[in-house]
């Protein structure tokens, strides 16, 4: 999935250590963020009927420099597209400051919902709320991936037939599960 980077390194170093200064919750945070989608995905796969077609592979005679050149250009296009979405939504996250005014909770919600990296920063910097509130909030927005992540994913899968409504519903369910688990384990 091409959402904002929610790799274990991002979660462990930026989210937990740099932002929240929590050193003892690494493995439980990984479980909270990665097990719900894994279990749900396995459940969905077990319910899916057998796939109709087999994957087609290129023959060795078709592997030439035109194919390599096209692959390189597609890679650059993908990187530029994803980078453009990240920049656009980072700017939108910064605009949330104007919209929220002095309402810190509104600022945290708008920023986290828009783009998770900026949202994590805004939430972590809050002095008005305790860690027991900030941690589940950050976990929820991280599990959702923000509108930036949703737009990036939609851009990458637009010609695959994947339903973005289903994807959004799936992300929302994962967000709710991860947030509840974060409240339980903080």
């Amino acid at each position: 999935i091409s959402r904002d980077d929610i790799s274990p390194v991002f979660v462990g170093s930026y989210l937990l250590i740099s932002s929240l200064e929590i050193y003892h919750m690494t493995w439980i945070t990984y479980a909270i963020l990665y097990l719900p989608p894994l279990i749900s995905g396995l459940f969905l796969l077990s319910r899916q009927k057998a796939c109709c077609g087999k994957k087609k592979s290129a023959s060795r005679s078709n592997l030439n420099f035109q194919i390599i050149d096209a692959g390189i250009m597609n890679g650059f296009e993908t990187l530029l597209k994803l980078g453009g979405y990240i920049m656009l939504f980072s700017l939108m996250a910064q605009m949330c400051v104007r919209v929220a005014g002095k309402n810190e909770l509104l600022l945290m919600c708008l920023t986290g919902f828009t783009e998770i990296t900026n949202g994590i920063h805004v939430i972590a910097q809050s002095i008005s709320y305790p860690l027991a509130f900030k941690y589940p909030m950050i976990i929820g927005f991280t599990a959702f991936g923000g509108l930036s992540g949703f737009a990036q994913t939609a851009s990458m899968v637009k010609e695959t037939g994947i339903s973005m409504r289903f994807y959004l519903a799936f992300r929302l369910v994962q967000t709710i599960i991860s947030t509840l688990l974060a409240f339980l384990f903080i």
Side-chain angles (χ1 to χ4, degrees):
I1 294 175
S2 56
R3 346 184 249 150
D4 288 348
D5 184 9
I6 59 164
S7 69
V9 172
F10 176 83
V11 171
S13 64
Y14 179 69
L15 191 155
L16 293 175
I17 295 172
S18 296
S19 298
L20 293 175
E21 297 179 357
I22 301 174
Y23 300 91
H24 65 284
M25 301 237 348
T26 304
W27 291 105
I28 193 70
T29 302
Y30 290 162
I32 288 169
L33 284 172
Y34 301 126
L35 283 180
L38 177 66
I39 293 167
S40 300
L42 291 173
F43 174 75
L44 289 173
L45 281 174
S46 71
R47 296 193 62 203
Q48 182 182 15
K49 294 181 181 177
C51 187
C52 306
K54 291 185 177 181
K55 185 178 177 181
K56 293 182 181 179
S57 60
S59 68
R60 290 189 170 225
S61 63
N62 287 341
L63 291 177
N64 57 38
F65 286 109
Q66 286 181 321
I67 292 173
I68 293 170
D69 288 346
I72 291 170
M73 293 310 294
N74 286 339
F76 282 127
E77 180 183 346
T78 298
L79 287 173
L80 284 173
K81 199 180 289 187
L82 294 179
Y85 277 112
I86 291 170
M87 288 182 357
L88 174 67
F89 282 93
S90 291
L91 289 172
M92 289 174 64
Q94 293 303 314
M95 292 170 51
C96 292
V97 173
R98 286 200 181 274
V99 173
K102 295 189 187 278
N103 187 331
E104 188 177 26
L105 182 60
L106 180 61
L107 175 62
M108 292 186 319
C109 290
L110 287 175
T111 308
F113 184 68
T114 303
E115 200 272 329
I116 62 171
T117 306
N118 287 303
I120 290 168
H121 178 76
V122 168
I123 296 166
Q125 296 301 310
S126 169
I127 57 172
S128 302
Y129 295 93
L131 181 63
F133 179 79
K134 294 190 294 188
Y135 176 76
M137 189 175 206
I138 286 175
I139 293 299
F141 286 127
T142 303
F144 177 66
L147 290 178
S148 175
F150 182 79
Q152 291 172 54
T153 301
S155 171
M156 293 297 107
V157 302
K158 68 182 172 191
E159 296 176 15
T160 65
I162 293 174
S163 167
M164 290 312 294
R165 282 187 181 152
F166 179 79
Y167 176 76
L168 179 60
F170 187 81
R171 294 273 19 116
L172 290 173
V173 168
Q174 301 312 308
T175 299
I176 292 167
I177 293 169
S178 292
T179 304
L180 292 174
L181 289 171
F183 271 115
L184 288 173
F185 287 101
I186 187 62

